[in-house]
Each structure stands twice: as structure tokens, then as C-alpha cells.
DNA sequence: AATGAGGGATTGTTGAACAATTCGTCAATA
DNA sequence: TATTGACGAATTGTTCAACAATCCCTCATT
């Protein structure tokens, strides 16, 4: 065995993704994604291939590839021979998104008793960090950060499932929900009333009371959903 | 109101998908998908753009688009500057797939008490049909049909969630799992021992005992997972 | 008001071309 | 012998230009 492998080489595997070059299509998708999730691209807007391709300096083919990526994340809808549009959510979509969230998040919490101790600890830590970040942002009146902290909170809840697929599904769901937040009347303060619920859930999961946490979260999501569907009334 | 709308026009909406033309990329993806899920394309195989494009008579660009579709379904993996390969599942993948299934299927069952009666009825019917199809296929010794009936069974379980997203996630998970079935020693009879479990679950959901069904299904999935990971030992 | 025929604009798809990268081969070196 | 480095073939990444197919708006007709 050569002397070069002293054990630290294996750790490099974790950094593989860092140096992974991104395709142009992926980078294009990134800039469009942030524009969409930040609400700077109104739902229903049609995205012209020629126009955007020229603006970003990429060919139509590459741009179409980026469109496919975002369509798969349901941030764009692709209508054959008509073009791609920024996703516009209906009341049914919100209902389904919350149904999915209930299954994912409550399922993660109910699985928590079976996750190994170290992973459970990191999940609890992530939840705690999100709660504290939300509270301090609210104290500073920074409502945008309150929103992102709330997103981080629910993403942290999903960690209890200890499943990459649950993680990804959760990420996609939250990105989709952003499309609704921006069409609300007062998106700035939407998340603020849930800070108390988040804190309460934190005490539950920190104490290992996962079933109670799951039931509390289910009611929580019901309330949020019914508050959200009023946008479409 | 014009006399042309006698009510039957609304029913046409259901057939919209039938006449929906499919892009060539989607059709190419379809033919590749069946080849993969039927096990006629060994995991790890590299799919050459030029070769396959010539064989199917489509340009490289459209073929690449089809590759992206299948990569999103995790049936192919796309390595930058290296090409696309038929997905090869590891033991971790199987573990995660079953973790995801536990959350989806048990979550669907636990939601069943809240689904409206008509949807619950159709779900129970779908479960029953799958169970009976599996049993008659086993009686005829047709193991391939036993496998598809088992897939249909779990897809029917997902119906209790009454959520399109759960449906789609379930469909993707089952398609992925087919990649494992084909590398097993005896894939023909893998599903046969679960016929009794399916029948028992049917009696549970038919009687409205959803919590019992969920717990039974969890144990069921645990057993299947541990049986499946032995393939990688 | 409903129908039908242009016509412009946009998407769907192709083919070719070039740049960038991977991978195998082989010689040079210690 | 094992390692290094350079070379070259093959493949992918990306662009460009072109054409077919389709949508959608306009306008004339009835």
C-alpha cells in the first residue's frame, strides 16, 4: 500500500459535489429559479425562448433544457407547441401540496423514534436553529427572513425521516408553495403567527414526544392551508 | 344558451389527454422506459447518443431531451461529460426507497379515515381488484402478472391519500424498484409470498381498520426490504 | 354573431459544426 | 516495475441555422 493514502483521501469524496462543474443549462435554470421563487416573475408569464435566450446569451437548445429542469420542479408548465409559462397555482394545487406535506412531515416525525441517535440530534439542532432564526428575525421586523426561517424549519422537520428522497420532495414542495406566498395580499407577515407553533413543536421533538408533535403539526398545517386558500376565493 | 351543450360536452374533458400529441422526446423516453423497466437494458449500461439516436431515427438534441426525462425519473443517471447510464441501485438506494414507501403508503392509509366516502370506495375496489388479479395469476403460475398485480396493489394503497402528488411519487418509486427486481436471482417468485399479506390488508381497509392496516403494512415493508437487500450482500 | 381563410410569430426538430472533456495508449523516467 | 506525462481518438456540451408544424390574431364573408 502506498504511503499517500493516510486515510484523509476518503474524506475527499464528500467534496466531490463542490467541484462538480455545472452545465450551462443548470446555471440558467438556477437564475430563473431564483427569479421565480423570489416572486420577480409573475405566475402565468410566458417565457419566450428567443427573447430569454438572447438576454442570457445561450442557445435555444440549452434554454429549452433549462426549461425542462424547472418544469420538472413544477415551477414552469410546458404546453406543447405553445411555450412555457410560470406556474400559476390553483386552489386544488394548494390543497394537494398540503396533503403531501402532511404525509411527508408527519411521516418524518412518526419515523423519528426509529432514527439513530446522532441523526436525530442533528435534526433537533436544525429545528432549533430555524426556530431561533425566525424569532430573532421577527424581533428585528425582517419579515423576509422570517419566511425563509419558516421554510428552514419545515425542511428540518423532514430530516427526521433520514431519507434523501423525503428531503428532496420537501424541497420541491416548499419551492412550489412560494408561488402562492407572492400572490397573497400580505406575504410579509404570513409566517409570523406560526412562530409560536414552531417553538412548541421544538419542545416536543427535543423531548422525544414525536407522536404529539405529529398531531400538533397536522393541525398546524390544516390551519395554514385554510388560511391560504382564501387567496383564491 | 346555445342548444349545442346538452351536457355531454363536459365529459369530453376527460379524453383530452388521449388526443394530446406527445413530443418525440416523450415517445422516445417511453420506448426506453419500457425497455429499462422490463429489464431488457442491464443497469450500468452506457447509452451512446449517436448510436441510439441513429437506431431510433431521432436527432441528438431530441434524444438528449428524452434522456433528461428519464434521468428525472431516476431510471438513468447523467454524468457530466461522460454520458448517461442505466441506473444501478445500491443497498442504500433500496433502503431509502423503502423508507419513502413506508411514509407514503402508511401515510395514505392513516389519511384514509378523512377521505370522502366515494373516493375511499374506489380505492378499496382498486385494492380488491389487485388482490384478486394477483391470486388468479398465481393460480395460473403466471409470475410476471403476479408482479404487476403487486405493483397495482401498492399503487392502489396510495389512492387513499387522494393526492395526485402521492400518486406520482408512488409511481416513480415502483418504477425504480423494478431495477432491483431484475437483478435478483429469482425475480419470478419474489412477489408470491406477499399475496397473503395483500389479502389481509384488503380485509383491513375494507373494514375501515386503517391504523391496523398501516402497522401491518409497515412490518410487511420491513420484511420485503430486508429480503431485498440480500441481493447486494 | 359565427364561420372560415390567410399570415405572422413561435415552437418542434433536425443536421452540422466546433469546443471541451474523457479515456485509453504508449513512451519516458526514476 | 510503477509512476508520470503527453498524445490522440471518441464522446459529450453547446451553438447555430434552417425548415416543418402549430398556434393565434386579423379580417373578410356569410
Amino acid at each position: 500500500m502506498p504511503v499517500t493514502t493516510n486515510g484523509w483521501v476518503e474524506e475527499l469524496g464528500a467534496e466531490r459535489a463542490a467541484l462538480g462543474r455545472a452545465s450551462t443549462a443548470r446555471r440558467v435554470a438556477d437564475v430563473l429559479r431564483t427569479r421565480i421563487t423570489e416572486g420577480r416573475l409573475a405566475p402565468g408569464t410566458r417565457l419566450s425562448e428567443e427573447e430569454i435566450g438572447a438576454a442570457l446569451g445561450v442557445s435555444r437548445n440549452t434554454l429549452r433544457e433549462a426549461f425542462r429542469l424547472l418544469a420538472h420542479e413544477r415551477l414552469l408548465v410546458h404546453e406543447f407547441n405553445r411555450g412555457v409559462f410560470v406556474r400559476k397555482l390553483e386552489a386544488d394545487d394548494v390543497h394537494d401540496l398540503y396533503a403531501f406535506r402532511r404525509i411527508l412531515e408527519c411521516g418524518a416525525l412518526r419515523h423519528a423514534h426509529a432514527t439513530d441517535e446522532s441523526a436525530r440530534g442533528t435534526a433537533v439542532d436544525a429545528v432549533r436553529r430555524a426556530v431561533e432564526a425566525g424569532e430573532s428575525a421577527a424581533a428585528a421586523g425582517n419579515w423576509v427572513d422570517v419566511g425563509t426561517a419558516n421554510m428552514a424549519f419545515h425542511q428540518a422537520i423532514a430530516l427526521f425521516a433520514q431519507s434523501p428522497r423525503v428531503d428532496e420532495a420537501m424541497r420541491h414542495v416548499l419551492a412550489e408553495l412560494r408561488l402562492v406566498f407572492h400572490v397573497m395580499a400580505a406575504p410579509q407577515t404570513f409566517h409570523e403567527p406560526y412562530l409560536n407553533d414552531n417553538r412548541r413543536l421544538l419542545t416536543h421533538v427535543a423531548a422525544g414526544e414525536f407522536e404529539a408533535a405529529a398531531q400538533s403539526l397536522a393541525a398546524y398545517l390544516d390551519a395554514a392551508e385554510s388560511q391560504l386558500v382564501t387567496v383564491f376565493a
Side-chain angles (χ1 to χ4, degrees), chain A residues 97-138:
Chain A
L97 279 168
Y98 273 86
F100 201 37
R101 282 186 69 173
R102 264 185 291 272
I103 288 183
L104 283 184
E105 300 189 40
C106 297
L109 286 175
R110 288 205 173 90
H111 173 273
H113 69 91
T115 73
D116 53 276
E117 204 162 340
S118 73
R120 207 189 310 167
T122 61
V124 172
D125 287 345
V127 171
R128 177 175 289 113
R129 275 196 303 275
V131 168
E132 292 170 349
E135 289 171 345
S136 62

Side-chain angles (χ1 to χ4, degrees), chain A residues 118-161:
Chain A
S118 73
R120 207 189 310 167
T122 61
V124 172
D125 287 345
V127 171
R128 177 175 289 113
R129 275 196 303 275
V131 168
E132 292 170 349
E135 289 171 345
S136 62
N142 192 340
W143 305 119
V144 175
D145 286 358
V146 173
T148 53
N150 201 26
M151 301 277 193
F153 173 82
H154 290 279
Q155 192 75 53
I157 291 288
L159 281 178
F160 286 105

Side-chain angles (χ1 to χ4, degrees), chain A residues 72-100:
Chain A
H72 179 254
E73 301 174 21
R74 300 190 214 248
L75 297 181
L76 298 179
V77 292
H78 186 162
E79 302 188 14
F80 194 75
N81 271 325
R82 288 188 16 98
V84 298
F85 304 81
V86 179
R87 176 81 178 285
K88 184 188 278 180
L89 290 183
E90 311 289 333
D92 285 349
D93 295 313
V94 176
H95 180 66
D96 192 38
L97 279 168
Y98 273 86
F100 201 37

